[in-house]
Amino acid sequence: MTRLARRSVLALASAAALSLSVPALAQSPIVIKFSHVVAQDTPKGKAADFFKQKAEELTKGRVKVEVYPNSTLYKDKEEMEALQLGAVQMLAPSLAKFGPLGAKEFELFDLPYLFDDYDQLHKVTNGPVGKSLFKKLESKGIIGLAYWDNGFKVMSANKPLRNPEDMKGLKMRIQSSNVLDAQMRAVGALPQKMAFSEVYQALQTGVVDGTENPPSNLYTQKMHEVQKYVTLSDHGYLGYAVIVNKKFWEGLPADIRKPLEDAMEQATRYANQIAKVENDQALEAVRKSGKSEIITLTPEQKKAWKKAMLKVHDQMADRIGKDLIQQVYKETGFDPKKF
Ligand code: LMR
């Protein structure tokens, strides 16, 4: 869709939202447009398709879910606007993309080396912090339904990245999070915020030198074909919040919302089951392709990365909230003094 066409869709949607209190309900069946930016063959892509199938089955066809993958409908920033205007009903943006919405506390998930594994992460998303973050979305006209995993990030570039010093001066594409900006600066890199759909071309043409993402995103966007080295740095987590337009969701009849909640619960279990395997397989596929060399860090090298990036926790404490960070440290057992 061209930029102009997207704009007019947004304009039409806002006009519709003004004239009808619950526009999507006027249709039969009720349509849920679910827009996302990654390939279908990724943890999020597969979970979105799974949700569609379950939602249509459990509502016996009274709801139709249209999934638009790979930024075919909207790019990162536009999809947030579209959700608030009611042009789409459901999204699953990464937790790093809530800052521009005014919910900067979500950037807590971007703090480098905060989580050692998925179990620690789930303690936070399934606990009071996860709930309190969703509460913050309501004043923006959004309801948070679930957290879906992707995985732990690798760092890629056209030079081998073994020590944090190797990052010096590299232009690195990041998502919209200020925590990620600080993380890249902590190792001397030059962060550039950019929509996901633009990353492959930016890497190919040298607009940026490198990037970070879990292997499933790297592989399905073919970034490994334009990056010579991939470092298994595991320096941060990338996952999603599945969100819906509040007015739409609350306007649904109870006998429709309940099966949709059940479908979401099942899709969440599925998403979180497949995420690690999908990323392991994607990494294997990158290895097999022979296009990128995969670098495993020694324990000493990994320690140096952690040491270099840890200061970001303090630097970003005011932005995220000191109490929130302390609460997460307590839930995960993270001890900043051990570095
Ligand atoms: C990115 O922009 O790198 C990711 O957030 C894409 C995604 O949705 O996984």
mmCIF file of all heavy atoms in Angstrom, residues 23-52:
data_model
loop_
_atom_site.group_PDB
_atom_site.id
_atom_site.type_symbol
_atom_site.label_atom_id
_atom_site.label_comp_id
_atom_site.label_asym_id
_atom_site.label_seq_id
_atom_site.Cartn_x
_atom_site.Cartn_y
_atom_site.Cartn_z
ATOM 1 N N PRO A 23 -17.752 0.364 15.165
ATOM 2 C CA PRO A 23 -17.916 0.144 13.735
ATOM 3 C C PRO A 23 -17.851 -1.314 13.303
ATOM 4 O O PRO A 23 -18.686 -1.751 12.529
ATOM 5 C CB PRO A 23 -16.767 0.942 13.123
ATOM 6 C CG PRO A 23 -15.830 1.252 14.231
ATOM 7 C CD PRO A 23 -16.615 1.209 15.485
ATOM 8 N N ALA A 24 -16.903 -2.081 13.867
ATOM 9 C CA ALA A 24 -16.718 -3.431 13.361
ATOM 10 C C ALA A 24 -17.912 -4.328 13.678
ATOM 11 O O ALA A 24 -18.138 -5.335 13.035
ATOM 12 C CB ALA A 24 -15.448 -4.029 13.931
ATOM 13 N N LEU A 25 -18.703 -3.929 14.697
ATOM 14 C CA LEU A 25 -19.820 -4.772 15.079
ATOM 15 C C LEU A 25 -20.995 -4.669 14.112
ATOM 16 O O LEU A 25 -21.883 -5.494 14.128
ATOM 17 C CB LEU A 25 -20.296 -4.403 16.490
ATOM 18 C CG LEU A 25 -19.311 -4.731 17.606
ATOM 19 C CD1 LEU A 25 -19.954 -4.484 18.948
ATOM 20 C CD2 LEU A 25 -18.858 -6.167 17.517
ATOM 21 N N ALA A 26 -20.996 -3.638 13.302
ATOM 22 C CA ALA A 26 -22.079 -3.476 12.344
ATOM 23 C C ALA A 26 -21.996 -4.551 11.252
ATOM 24 O O ALA A 26 -22.958 -4.801 10.557
ATOM 25 C CB ALA A 26 -22.014 -2.086 11.735
ATOM 26 N N GLN A 27 -20.801 -5.162 11.147
ATOM 27 C CA GLN A 27 -20.631 -6.143 10.084
ATOM 28 C C GLN A 27 -21.041 -7.530 10.576
ATOM 29 O O GLN A 27 -21.061 -7.797 11.754
ATOM 30 C CB GLN A 27 -19.158 -6.210 9.676
ATOM 31 C CG GLN A 27 -18.559 -4.884 9.325
ATOM 32 C CD GLN A 27 -17.047 -4.913 9.526
ATOM 33 O OE1 GLN A 27 -16.469 -5.939 9.837
ATOM 34 N NE2 GLN A 27 -16.436 -3.760 9.357
ATOM 35 N N SER A 28 -21.317 -8.400 9.629
ATOM 36 C CA SER A 28 -21.594 -9.780 9.986
ATOM 37 C C SER A 28 -20.852 -10.664 8.991
ATOM 38 O O SER A 28 -21.104 -10.558 7.801
ATOM 39 C CB SER A 28 -23.090 -10.026 9.914
ATOM 40 O OG SER A 28 -23.347 -11.390 10.008
ATOM 41 N N PRO A 29 -19.948 -11.529 9.329
ATOM 42 C CA PRO A 29 -19.451 -11.722 10.688
ATOM 43 C C PRO A 29 -18.594 -10.542 11.153
ATOM 44 O O PRO A 29 -18.205 -9.703 10.354
ATOM 45 C CB PRO A 29 -18.584 -12.985 10.535
ATOM 46 C CG PRO A 29 -18.116 -12.963 9.117
ATOM 47 C CD PRO A 29 -19.228 -12.323 8.330
ATOM 48 N N ILE A 30 -18.305 -10.534 12.447
ATOM 49 C CA ILE A 30 -17.428 -9.501 13.008
ATOM 50 C C ILE A 30 -16.014 -9.755 12.487
ATOM 51 O O ILE A 30 -15.515 -10.888 12.547
ATOM 52 C CB ILE A 30 -17.448 -9.566 14.548
ATOM 53 C CG1 ILE A 30 -18.841 -9.206 15.073
ATOM 54 C CG2 ILE A 30 -16.389 -8.643 15.146
ATOM 55 C CD1 ILE A 30 -19.053 -9.524 16.544
ATOM 56 N N VAL A 31 -15.390 -8.709 11.966
ATOM 57 C CA VAL A 31 -14.048 -8.879 11.393
ATOM 58 C C VAL A 31 -12.995 -8.309 12.349
ATOM 59 O O VAL A 31 -13.134 -7.192 12.830
ATOM 60 C CB VAL A 31 -13.944 -8.175 10.015
ATOM 61 C CG1 VAL A 31 -12.511 -8.213 9.493
ATOM 62 C CG2 VAL A 31 -14.896 -8.819 9.025
ATOM 63 N N ILE A 32 -11.980 -9.121 12.610
ATOM 64 C CA ILE A 32 -10.829 -8.632 13.370
ATOM 65 C C ILE A 32 -9.651 -8.550 12.409
ATOM 66 O O ILE A 32 -9.197 -9.572 11.884
ATOM 67 C CB ILE A 32 -10.465 -9.575 14.549
ATOM 68 C CG1 ILE A 32 -11.612 -9.618 15.558
ATOM 69 C CG2 ILE A 32 -9.160 -9.139 15.212
ATOM 70 C CD1 ILE A 32 -11.348 -10.488 16.771
ATOM 71 N N LYS A 33 -9.198 -7.341 12.160
ATOM 72 C CA LYS A 33 -8.000 -7.184 11.337
ATOM 73 C C LYS A 33 -6.800 -7.226 12.275
ATOM 74 O O LYS A 33 -6.717 -6.426 13.206
ATOM 75 C CB LYS A 33 -8.033 -5.851 10.590
ATOM 76 C CG LYS A 33 -9.070 -5.827 9.505
ATOM 77 C CD LYS A 33 -8.816 -4.649 8.568
ATOM 78 C CE LYS A 33 -9.608 -4.827 7.308
ATOM 79 N NZ LYS A 33 -10.438 -3.733 6.945
ATOM 80 N N PHE A 34 -5.896 -8.162 12.016
ATOM 81 C CA PHE A 34 -4.724 -8.379 12.863
ATOM 82 C C PHE A 34 -3.500 -8.098 11.984
ATOM 83 O O PHE A 34 -3.192 -8.866 11.080
ATOM 84 C CB PHE A 34 -4.751 -9.832 13.364
ATOM 85 C CG PHE A 34 -3.679 -10.196 14.379
ATOM 86 C CD1 PHE A 34 -3.847 -11.344 15.157
ATOM 87 C CD2 PHE A 34 -2.530 -9.441 14.577
ATOM 88 C CE1 PHE A 34 -2.893 -11.715 16.099
ATOM 89 C CE2 PHE A 34 -1.576 -9.805 15.513
ATOM 90 C CZ PHE A 34 -1.751 -10.944 16.270
ATOM 91 N N SER A 35 -2.856 -6.970 12.264
ATOM 92 C CA SER A 35 -1.719 -6.560 11.427
ATOM 93 C C SER A 35 -0.416 -6.819 12.172
ATOM 94 O O SER A 35 -0.328 -6.600 13.379
ATOM 95 C CB SER A 35 -1.885 -5.067 11.128
ATOM 96 O OG SER A 35 -0.723 -4.532 10.559
ATOM 97 N N HIS A 36 0.584 -7.323 11.469
ATOM 98 C CA HIS A 36 1.909 -7.435 12.090
ATOM 99 C C HIS A 36 3.004 -7.281 11.047
ATOM 100 O O HIS A 36 2.720 -7.237 9.847
ATOM 101 C CB HIS A 36 2.039 -8.706 12.942
ATOM 102 C CG HIS A 36 2.072 -10.004 12.188
ATOM 103 N ND1 HIS A 36 3.200 -10.459 11.571
ATOM 104 C CD2 HIS A 36 1.103 -10.950 11.964
ATOM 105 C CE1 HIS A 36 2.947 -11.644 11.027
ATOM 106 N NE2 HIS A 36 1.675 -11.947 11.234
ATOM 107 N N VAL A 37 4.256 -7.205 11.519
ATOM 108 C CA VAL A 37 5.335 -6.792 10.606
ATOM 109 C C VAL A 37 6.309 -7.908 10.221
ATOM 110 O O VAL A 37 7.208 -7.678 9.411
ATOM 111 C CB VAL A 37 6.143 -5.602 11.197
ATOM 112 C CG1 VAL A 37 5.241 -4.391 11.417
ATOM 113 C CG2 VAL A 37 6.855 -5.977 12.501
ATOM 114 N N VAL A 38 6.140 -9.099 10.823
ATOM 115 C CA VAL A 38 7.118 -10.164 10.520
ATOM 116 C C VAL A 38 6.549 -11.180 9.534
ATOM 117 O O VAL A 38 5.366 -11.147 9.198
ATOM 118 C CB VAL A 38 7.586 -10.889 11.812
ATOM 119 C CG1 VAL A 38 8.358 -9.942 12.713
ATOM 120 C CG2 VAL A 38 6.416 -11.530 12.558
ATOM 121 N N ALA A 39 7.412 -12.103 9.087
ATOM 122 C CA ALA A 39 6.995 -13.135 8.140
ATOM 123 C C ALA A 39 6.039 -14.113 8.830
ATOM 124 O O ALA A 39 6.020 -14.218 10.056
ATOM 125 C CB ALA A 39 8.226 -13.875 7.639
ATOM 126 N N GLN A 40 5.278 -14.842 8.011
ATOM 127 C CA GLN A 40 4.339 -15.825 8.578
ATOM 128 C C GLN A 40 5.079 -16.955 9.281
ATOM 129 O O GLN A 40 4.619 -17.491 10.278
ATOM 130 C CB GLN A 40 3.473 -16.410 7.455
ATOM 131 C CG GLN A 40 2.189 -15.628 7.253
ATOM 132 C CD GLN A 40 1.324 -16.257 6.195
ATOM 133 O OE1 GLN A 40 1.739 -16.350 5.035
ATOM 134 N NE2 GLN A 40 0.143 -16.691 6.568
ATOM 135 N N ASP A 41 6.271 -17.259 8.751
ATOM 136 C CA ASP A 41 7.024 -18.397 9.251
ATOM 137 C C ASP A 41 7.937 -17.998 10.418
ATOM 138 O O ASP A 41 9.139 -18.246 10.391
ATOM 139 C CB ASP A 41 7.846 -18.963 8.078
ATOM 140 C CG ASP A 41 8.359 -20.339 8.384
ATOM 141 O OD1 ASP A 41 7.845 -20.967 9.324
ATOM 142 O OD2 ASP A 41 9.301 -20.774 7.694
ATOM 143 N N THR A 42 7.371 -17.333 11.403
ATOM 144 C CA THR A 42 8.114 -16.894 12.595
ATOM 145 C C THR A 42 7.236 -17.233 13.805
ATOM 146 O O THR A 42 6.049 -17.538 13.630
ATOM 147 C CB THR A 42 8.293 -15.355 12.594
ATOM 148 O OG1 THR A 42 6.986 -14.762 12.463
ATOM 149 C CG2 THR A 42 9.188 -14.872 11.480
ATOM 150 N N PRO A 43 7.775 -17.135 15.011
ATOM 151 C CA PRO A 43 6.923 -17.416 16.180
ATOM 152 C C PRO A 43 5.657 -16.550 16.192
ATOM 153 O O PRO A 43 4.551 -17.069 16.376
ATOM 154 C CB PRO A 43 7.838 -17.086 17.369
ATOM 155 C CG PRO A 43 9.231 -17.305 16.852
ATOM 156 C CD PRO A 43 9.183 -16.929 15.398
ATOM 157 N N LYS A 44 5.806 -15.244 15.953
ATOM 158 C CA LYS A 44 4.616 -14.371 15.982
ATOM 159 C C LYS A 44 3.680 -14.667 14.812
ATOM 160 O O LYS A 44 2.459 -14.726 14.988
ATOM 161 C CB LYS A 44 5.036 -12.899 15.952
ATOM 162 C CG LYS A 44 3.856 -11.940 15.882
ATOM 163 C CD LYS A 44 4.192 -10.499 16.259
ATOM 164 C CE LYS A 44 5.146 -9.796 15.336
ATOM 165 N NZ LYS A 44 5.388 -8.402 15.756
ATOM 166 N N GLY A 45 4.248 -14.844 13.621
ATOM 167 C CA GLY A 45 3.438 -15.120 12.436
ATOM 168 C C GLY A 45 2.616 -16.384 12.613
ATOM 169 O O GLY A 45 1.410 -16.420 12.307
ATOM 170 N N LYS A 46 3.255 -17.421 13.142
ATOM 171 C CA LYS A 46 2.549 -18.694 13.322
ATOM 172 C C LYS A 46 1.475 -18.579 14.407
ATOM 173 O O LYS A 46 0.396 -19.143 14.283
ATOM 174 C CB LYS A 46 3.548 -19.788 13.708
ATOM 175 C CG LYS A 46 4.411 -20.230 12.545
ATOM 176 C CD LYS A 46 5.196 -21.463 12.898
ATOM 177 C CE LYS A 46 5.842 -22.029 11.650
ATOM 178 N NZ LYS A 46 6.644 -23.210 11.900
ATOM 179 N N ALA A 47 1.806 -17.844 15.474
ATOM 180 C CA ALA A 47 0.830 -17.704 16.565
ATOM 181 C C ALA A 47 -0.376 -16.878 16.114
ATOM 182 O O ALA A 47 -1.512 -17.160 16.507
ATOM 183 C CB ALA A 47 1.495 -17.069 17.783
ATOM 184 N N ALA A 48 -0.145 -15.877 15.282
ATOM 185 C CA ALA A 48 -1.262 -15.069 14.762
ATOM 186 C C ALA A 48 -2.176 -15.949 13.908
ATOM 187 O O ALA A 48 -3.414 -15.876 14.022
ATOM 188 C CB ALA A 48 -0.728 -13.893 13.949
ATOM 189 N N ASP A 49 -1.581 -16.785 13.067
ATOM 190 C CA ASP A 49 -2.389 -17.689 12.234
ATOM 191 C C ASP A 49 -3.139 -18.712 13.095
ATOM 192 O O ASP A 49 -4.274 -19.075 12.801
ATOM 193 C CB ASP A 49 -1.501 -18.399 11.203
ATOM 194 C CG ASP A 49 -1.009 -17.423 10.132
ATOM 195 O OD1 ASP A 49 -1.553 -16.294 10.053
ATOM 196 O OD2 ASP A 49 -0.071 -17.775 9.387
ATOM 197 N N PHE A 50 -2.471 -19.169 14.150
ATOM 198 C CA PHE A 50 -3.101 -20.116 15.077
ATOM 199 C C PHE A 50 -4.317 -19.457 15.742
ATOM 200 O O PHE A 50 -5.385 -20.048 15.848
ATOM 201 C CB PHE A 50 -2.076 -20.534 16.143
ATOM 202 C CG PHE A 50 -2.560 -21.579 17.109
ATOM 203 C CD1 PHE A 50 -2.213 -22.910 16.950
ATOM 204 C CD2 PHE A 50 -3.353 -21.233 18.203
ATOM 205 C CE1 PHE A 50 -2.649 -23.875 17.857
ATOM 206 C CE2 PHE A 50 -3.805 -22.185 19.106
ATOM 207 C CZ PHE A 50 -3.452 -23.514 18.942
ATOM 208 N N PHE A 51 -4.124 -18.193 16.173
ATOM 209 C CA PHE A 51 -5.239 -17.474 16.816
ATOM 210 C C PHE A 51 -6.418 -17.354 15.854
ATOM 211 O O PHE A 51 -7.570 -17.573 16.224
ATOM 212 C CB PHE A 51 -4.802 -16.084 17.296
ATOM 213 C CG PHE A 51 -5.954 -15.242 17.755
ATOM 214 C CD1 PHE A 51 -6.585 -15.507 18.962
ATOM 215 C CD2 PHE A 51 -6.453 -14.211 16.956
ATOM 216 C CE1 PHE A 51 -7.692 -14.762 19.379
ATOM 217 C CE2 PHE A 51 -7.554 -13.467 17.367
ATOM 218 C CZ PHE A 51 -8.174 -13.746 18.575
ATOM 219 N N LYS A 52 -6.131 -17.011 14.616
ATOM 220 C CA LYS A 52 -7.190 -16.871 13.602
ATOM 221 C C LYS A 52 -8.021 -18.165 13.522
ATOM 222 O O LYS A 52 -9.238 -18.139 13.614
ATOM 223 C CB LYS A 52 -6.561 -16.567 12.232
ATOM 224 C CG LYS A 52 -7.541 -16.648 11.073
ATOM 225 C CD LYS A 52 -6.809 -16.577 9.731
ATOM 226 C CE LYS A 52 -7.686 -17.024 8.587
ATOM 227 N NZ LYS A 52 -8.851 -16.180 8.354
#
